[in-house]
Amino acid sequence: MLLGVNIDHIATLRNARGGLDPNLVQAALICENAGADGITVHLREDRRHTKDNDVRELKSILKTRLNLEMALTDEMQKIALEVVPENVCLVPEKREEVTTEGGLDVASRVEFVKDFVKPLIDAGIVVSLFIDPDKHQVEAAAKTGAQFIELHTGRYSEAFGTQEEEMEFQSLKNAALLAEKLGLKVNAGHGLTYSNVHRMRDIPQLIELNIGHNIIARAVFDGLENAVKDMKNLIQ
Ligand code: PXP
């Protein structure tokens, strides 16, 4: 299975001070050197983490693939057609949400999504729709021309270790199976952690997992000890 690393929260940290540190491109290169198969960023309407220039820089420097997560707006479509990332993942977006809360509602607007996706695909971009593991959404996604879906693993992640875990896992399994039957390729992501990710290996259709927050959170603790030691050495 492939791993796409979402580095939005490196940008969150950078933006806290308004400078260039920690450098987003450097972070992307570290992820690639560590084996990441792609780098994901979400260009939000409010630009709260990744900025337009980050997307351009990443596209010109990455050796793997740039996966641009974005909402279905004219503004984002224009940027995608200008930058031409290898992948676009279409996500719903609400200004007030902390992170992407639910999957895209494709079922209620198949024609709109189809029209939105077409110029992207014509430009050579591989398009994915971020949807809940729901039969109707998978069936709708298959009518849009998008080559991939990304199954929203948020409910599975939240249910992990509870009575609902099995049900949420089965929903992902069934959705992946249906997607495959309908000719869609399948990725998954959101809320996956070092503790709950192992069950994804039991969904054979999954091609790539997109994981962000838990990797960046772990990286802080993996590096904190050395960071303090290095500073201490400098002032002794
Ligand atoms: N996939 C999509 C479509 C997302 O919106 C996000 C969050 O930006 C992720 C994957 C990664 O989620 P997490 O940061 O919880 O690993």
Side-chain angles (χ1 to χ4, degrees):
M1 200 155 22
L2 303 177
L3 175 65
V5 180
N6 181 317
I7 56 170
D8 285 336
H9 294 305
I10 300 284
T12 304
L13 191 56
R14 175 196 64 188
N15 298 350
R17 284 291 171 98
L20 290 177
D21 222 19
N23 186 284
L24 196 68
V25 168
Q26 199 185 340
L29 296 179
I30 291 171
C31 295
E32 282 192 331
N33 285 338
D37 300 289
I39 300 297
T40 299
V41 288
H42 184 174
L43 189 64
R44 281 183 166 269
E45 189 192 5
D46 63 9
R47 310 299 199 268
R48 70 174 74 154
H49 34 59
T50 303
K51 314 270 188 205
D52 300 51
N53 205 41
D54 294 327
V55 176
R56 290 192 183 93
E57 260 194 278
L58 287 168
K59 168 63 188 166
S60 71
I61 224 142
L62 291 181
K63 294 189 264 352
T64 57
R65 279 176 289 119
L66 174 62
N67 176 30
L68 178 63
E69 286 180 8
M70 58 180 228
L72 290 90
T73 63
D74 290 345
E75 183 199 16
M76 289 300 154
Q77 192 185 55
K78 194 161 162 263
I79 293 170
L81 290 173
E82 200 186 298
V83 176
V84 195
E86 284 76 11
N87 302 129
V88 155
C89 180
L90 296 174
V91 299
E93 196 175 300
K94 287 191 225 109
R95 221 171 239 261
E96 64 278 12
E97 70 192 357
V98 175
T99 180
T100 314
E101 281 166 3
L104 202 60
D105 180 10
V106 185
S108 71
R109 47 178 185 163
V110 173
E111 287 309 311
F112 172 77
V113 177
K114 197 172 165 182
D115 290 346
F116 191 91
V117 157
K118 187 167 186 307
L120 301 175
I121 291 179
D122 289 348
I125 301 169
V126 175
V127 178
S128 175
L129 305 177
F130 183 55
I131 57 170
D132 288 325
D134 172 279
K135 180 174 182 284
H136 302 293
Q137 297 299 341
V138 177
E139 284 169 352
K143 294 178 191 152
T144 62
Q147 302 99 319
F148 272 80
I149 55 168
E150 179 170 324
L151 290 174
H152 194 319
T153 50
R155 286 212 307 262
Y156 159 76
S157 298
E158 272 172 32
F160 187 75
T162 73
Q163 281 188 339
E164 278 79 48
E165 174 185 332
E166 204 47 45
M167 187 184 75
E168 296 299 345
F169 178 71
Q170 287 307 325
S171 297
L172 289 168
K173 244 187 132 106
N174 294 339
L177 193 62
L178 176 62
E180 181 184 47
K181 276 190 195 144
L182 297 173
L184 287 162
K185 296 189 180 121
V186 191
N187 294 333
H190 208 286
L192 293 173
T193 68
Y194 290 89
S195 312
N196 67 27
V197 74
H198 59 280
R199 295 203 74 181
M200 297 302 112
R201 291 204 305 257
D202 295 330
I203 305 179
Q205 291 80 17
L206 292 184
I207 294 173
E208 181 168 78
L209 298 179
N210 275 304
I211 308 181
H213 186 266
N214 208 236
I215 292 179
I216 305 305
R218 160 88 168 255
V220 172
F221 276 10
D222 274 2
L224 195 54
E225 188 177 335
N226 281 338
V228 171
K229 281 180 181 162
D230 287 351
M231 189 59 82
K232 189 88 185 169
N233 280 337
L234 285 175
I235 63 174
Q236 252 162 9

